[in-house]
Structures are given as structure tokens and as C-alpha cells.
């Protein structure tokens, strides 16, 4: 079940302010369900942010990033028409992405 | 079958990159499973001097009502930032996130972390020759690790 990344971008001068939210459980692997079974760890390990297919930022995350991770980030030298894309990959190999064209 | 020097070099190269790749992936996950702050610092910044800095603006709530969602903002005026990392000392695995920046990145990041209990939170800003650190104490009233 690859969920959709919600992504927003706003240009202020040449700086793009990008915000995104990834619906994801971010399970630490230490919680137990109602039957006392450990819920296996499932969390996003890597995030890659691209501007026009060029990597602008990569992030490595641990399980202690909150559920449904939200991130706000700023990108220099941006202009209208630039495509901002985010890719994520979790520890179970699931992945997803989202993109937006700056206006 | 005769193997030419070119073929041999090519296969050597493939072998080397294959051997390198998993070890790099392993290194990243190993530092995230470290259980104390000093181990994280040693692993991330081996040998680089770490100094406290006022040039880092680390914003967190003073009291977090819900440890499951603690908003954190790290911004800095320091130039030549290579990476920004966030460490929560009292979490089972202190390293929470590490962001690798490029010349197109503005060192200004907001996100949200889980905190098991009240803890010192550290933001570490790495440049090519030095690591700058800012710390804040955050009180947590309800833990976020669902214990």
C-alpha cells in the first residue's frame, strides 16, 4: 500500500519553501499490539529530495521520526517551472514519491 | 576462455563496487542503532572537533505535551554546511535524523520526532573541518514510544 506524499511548494524570491507529509506508520519495533505481539519495525530510512532530477538533499532517518513524517525544507536557486520531487524508502523495502512544479 | 586485461579490470571494478555498497548501507543503519550519544558522535564525526555554537538556532518546545510528536526546527547562518543531525540523548537509539545537504540547500529544516521521556536534544551542524552543536532540554509529559 504505497500512500501518496502530500507536497507543497512556494517560491519566495529564488528560494523554494517545500513542505511535505508522508503517510507512514513509523513503527519503532518496540511496541506491542493488543495480543502482546511485538509490532515489527517499519520506518522510513532514506529520503531524497530532487530539483529537476538533481539531488538537493538526502536524509537518513531512524525510527524516532514521528508517525506520518512532516518535513519543511528550503531550496536555493529555484525558479518557476522547477520540478521538486521527493522519494522515500523504508526498512521493509516499500517506497513512494511525490512531486510538484513550482509556480 | 582467455580473459583480456580489460575484462579482468572490469570484473574487478564490479566486484569492488558490489563489496562497497552494502557496507555503506550497513554503516548508516549501524549508527542509527547505536544506543548512546557518544557512540553516535564518534561514528558520525570521527575525529572532527565539536564545539558549542550560538550560530545554530535549535527550536523545540520547552515542554512537549505529547512525546509522540515533538516539532523541531534547526537553522543556522554557518556557511558550508555539509550535514545536519539531530540527537535525542534519552531515546533508546539517540540518533533521530541526519540530513545531507548540497550547495542548493538552505540550512533550515523543520520536522517532528518522537521522545520517550524528557531529554537533552542536540543539533549538530557539520562543515568540512568542524562540527557545531546546539543543545536544548525538552520536558516530556507523555512519552512517545507507546511503552
Amino acid at each position: 500500500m504505497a500512500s501518496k506524499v502530500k507536497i507543497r511548494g512556494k517560491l519566495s524570491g529564488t528560494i523554494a519553501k517545500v513542505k511535505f507529509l508522508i503517510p507512514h506508520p513509523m513503527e519503532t519495533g518496540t511496541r506491542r499490539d493488543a495480543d502482546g505481539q511485538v509490532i515489527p519495525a517499519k520506518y522510513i530510512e532514506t529520503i531524497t529530495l530532487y530539483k529537476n532530477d538533481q539531488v538537493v538533499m538526502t536524509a537518513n532517518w531512524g525510527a524516532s521520526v514521528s508517525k506520518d513524517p512532516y518535513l519543511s525544507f528550503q531550496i536555493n536557486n529555484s525558479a518557476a517551472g522547477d520540478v521538486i520531487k521527493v522519494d522515500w524508502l523504508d526498512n521493509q523495502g516499500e517506497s513512494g514519491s511525490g512531486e510538484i512544479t513550482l509556480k | 576462455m582467455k580473459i583480456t586485461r580489460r575484462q579482468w579490470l572490469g570484473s574487478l571494478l564490479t566486484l569492488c563496487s558490489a563489496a562497497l555498497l552494502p557496507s555503506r548501507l550497513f554503516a548508516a543503519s549501524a549508527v542509527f542503532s547505536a544506543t548512546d550519544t557518544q557512540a553516535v558522535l564518534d561514528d558520525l564525526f570521527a575525529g572532527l572537533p565539536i564545539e558549542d555554537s550560538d550560530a545554530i538556532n535549535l527550536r523545540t518546545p520547552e515542554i512537549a505535551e505529547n512525546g509522540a510528536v515533538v516539532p523541531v526546527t534547526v537553522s543556522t547562518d554557518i556557511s558550508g554546511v555539509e550535514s545536519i543531525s539531530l540527537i535525542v540523548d534519552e531515546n533508546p537509539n539517540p540518533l533521530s535524523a541526519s540530513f545531507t545537504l548540497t550547495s542548493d540547500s538552505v540550512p533550515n529544516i523543520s520536522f517532528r520526532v518522537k521522545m520517550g521521556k524528557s531529554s537533552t536534544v542536540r543539533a549538530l551542524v557539520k562543515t568540512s573541518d568542524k562540527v557545531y552543536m546546539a543543545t536544548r532540554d525538552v520536558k516530556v509529559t507523555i512519552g512517545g514510544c507507546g511503552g
Side-chain angles (χ1 to χ4, degrees):
Chain A
M1 175 202 70
S3 42
K4 199 137 176 76
V5 177
K6 290 174 192 155
I7 180 164
R8 292 259 162 82
K10 207 174 102 188
L11 264 178
S12 105
T14 57
I15 294 179
K17 295 182 174 164
V18 180
K19 294 174 180 175
F20 58 84
L21 196 146
I22 306 169
H24 194 282
M26 297 300 285
E27 279 296 344
T28 55
T30 56
R31 294 200 318 147
R32 287 169 188 277
D33 64 14
D35 302 327
Q37 299 293 315
V38 171
I39 305 173
K42 179 174 176 64
Y43 58 93
I44 297 176
E45 281 186 318
T46 49
I47 296 276
T48 315
L49 194 66
Y50 301 87
K51 181 178 78 181
N52 299 333
D53 292 331
Q54 250 192 322
V55 175
V56 179
M57 185 271 292
T58 52
N60 292 305
W61 283 357
S64 62
V65 171
S66 297
K67 183 184 173 195
D68 298 337
Y70 159 86
L71 183 76
S72 117
F73 194 73
Q74 301 182 8
I75 303 168
N76 270 325
N77 308 320
S78 300
D82 284 354
V83 177
I84 308 295
K85 184 179 165 216
V86 55
D87 278 351
W88 62 265
L89 177 70
D90 76 14
N91 65 325
Q92 294 185 6
E94 194 181 322
S95 64
S97 73
E99 65 174 49
I100 190 174
T101 307
L102 295 174
K103 293 191 245 221
Chain B
M1 191 185 81
K2 201 171 171 248
I3 299 173
T4 64
R5 192 173 69 153
R6 183 164 299 184
Q7 276 170 344
W8 185 78
L9 282 173
S11 60
L12 198 73
L13 216 75
T14 324
L15 212 79
C16 285
S17 49
L20 272 173
L21 201 70
S23 72
R24 275 187 57 212
L25 288 175
F26 174 75
S29 57
V31 64
F32 277 97
S33 53
T35 51
D36 75 279
T37 300
Q38 195 55 49
V40 173
L41 293 177
D42 290 346
D43 198 326
L44 280 183
F45 311 118
L48 285 179
I50 299 177
E51 76 175 36
D52 290 326
S53 169
D54 293 335
I56 303 171
N57 187 1
L58 169 61
R59 269 178 301 169
T60 62
E62 215 166 291
I63 297 172
E65 280 166 21
N66 181 359
V69 185
V70 183
V72 177
T73 299
V74 184
S75 63
T76 178
D77 297 332
I78 297 166
S79 58
V81 175
E82 290 180 354
S83 76
I84 295 179
S85 304
L86 193 91
I87 294 176
V88 180
D89 282 9
E90 299 293 334
N91 272 0
N93 304 121
L95 182 60
S96 194
S98 187
F99 299 86
T100 307
L101 307 189
T102 63
S103 55
D104 267 356
S105 318
V106 180
N108 185 337
I109 300 176
S110 299
F111 63 113
R112 306 185 292 211
V113 297
K114 288 179 260 198
M115 290 181 63
K117 53 182 168 179
S118 301
S119 171
T120 301
V121 175
R122 303 164 192 265
L124 294 120
V125 173
K126 179 182 179 289
T127 62
S128 56
D129 57 349
K130 219 179 230 181
V131 179
Y132 299 89
M133 179 167 76
T135 56
R136 295 259 304 179
D137 290 323
V138 180
K139 284 198 176 68
V140 175
T141 42
I142 307 169
C145 290

